[in-house]
Amino acid sequence: TAGNSTESSAVSFVVDTNNTLTVGAAGADFTTIQEAVTKASSGDIISVASGTYAGEITVDKSLTIKGANAGIAGNGVRGAESIIDGNDVTSPVDKGFIVSAGNLVVTIDGFKFTDNSPLHDNYASGAFHTTDITFTNNIVSSGNALQTTDPTSNWRDITVTNNKFEDINMEATASAVYL
């Protein structure tokens, strides 16, 4: 039509679908792992610098959480560690990561766990057998089991590879992996 013109221009959008959040000292996005997990969006990557961090980290969304030695086997040549430290080996409440929601995909890669149960389902209920977990390239020292004990756990597929278990608390009810 006379007097009407149509222009089109290309519009570009960059969508960062794998946002990486950092945890560590000065210059990092967060100083605690739990802060990063809380602020992260599903699908994000959390990169944790070497240092010692508190456990009891509740993971309620799909995340990849990488320690300083991500990609390096537990018995490989490793650098300074991202350590998740419990208070003591015998306390049943000392947990590293608690993954208790359904319909998640969670990877824990490249940490050292001391005096805790590194991976726990916290006796979850709800979306039974829907969460996939990869626990890889970690060292578990002076601790308790990777643990899910409830037959109605949210965990479905659990991949445990390239980890090193040492000085595991071997009380009557303890083991390195209790699934």
Side-chain angles (χ1 to χ4, degrees):
T1 331
N4 292 329
S5 66
T6 304
E7 271 186 46
S8 84
S9 62
V11 177
S12 297
F13 293 98
V14 176
V15 178
D16 184 0
T17 58
N18 289 319
N19 191 32
T20 299
L21 307 174
T22 58
V23 177
D29 298 321
F30 302 96
T31 57
T32 72
I33 300 169
Q34 186 63 67
E35 286 178 300
V37 168
T38 300
K39 297 292 184 181
S41 297
S42 186
D44 283 353
I45 298 167
I46 297 174
S47 179
V48 181
S50 61
T52 301
Y53 301 89
E56 301 289 319
I57 303 154
T58 299
V59 179
D60 58 358
K61 57 193 80 156
S62 294
L63 296 170
T64 297
I65 306 172
K66 295 181 175 184
N69 286 296
I72 302 171
N75 64 351
V77 177
R78 296 165 68 97
E81 297 283 352
S82 302
I83 300 169
I84 308 297
D85 191 31
N87 292 325
D88 61 78
V89 70
T90 59
S91 173
V93 297
D94 290 343
K95 300 175 180 105
F97 289 96
I98 302 165
V99 181
S100 59
N103 299 303
L104 304 180
V105 177
V106 176
T107 298
I108 309 295
D109 183 354
F111 287 89
K112 182 173 184 177
F113 295 87
T114 58
D115 298 332
N116 62 49
S117 173
L119 188 60
H120 204 279
D121 74 346
N122 209 38
Y123 311 108
S125 60
F128 308 129
H129 305 121
T130 60
T131 291
D132 298 335
I133 298 173
T134 300
F135 188 81
T136 188
N137 303 316
N138 299 294
I139 296 174
V140 179
S141 180
S142 302
N144 287 315
L146 305 181
Q147 185 169 340
T148 180
T149 56
D150 190 332
T152 60
S153 170
N154 291 324
W155 296 5
R156 175 179 54 194
D157 290 330
I158 302 148
T159 303
V160 179
T161 61
N162 298 322
N163 298 289
K164 179 179 180 182
F165 295 87
E166 59 189 15
D167 300 321
I168 299 302
N169 176 16
M170 295 308 290
E171 294 176 0
T173 60
S175 58
V177 180
Y178 185 62
L179 304 173

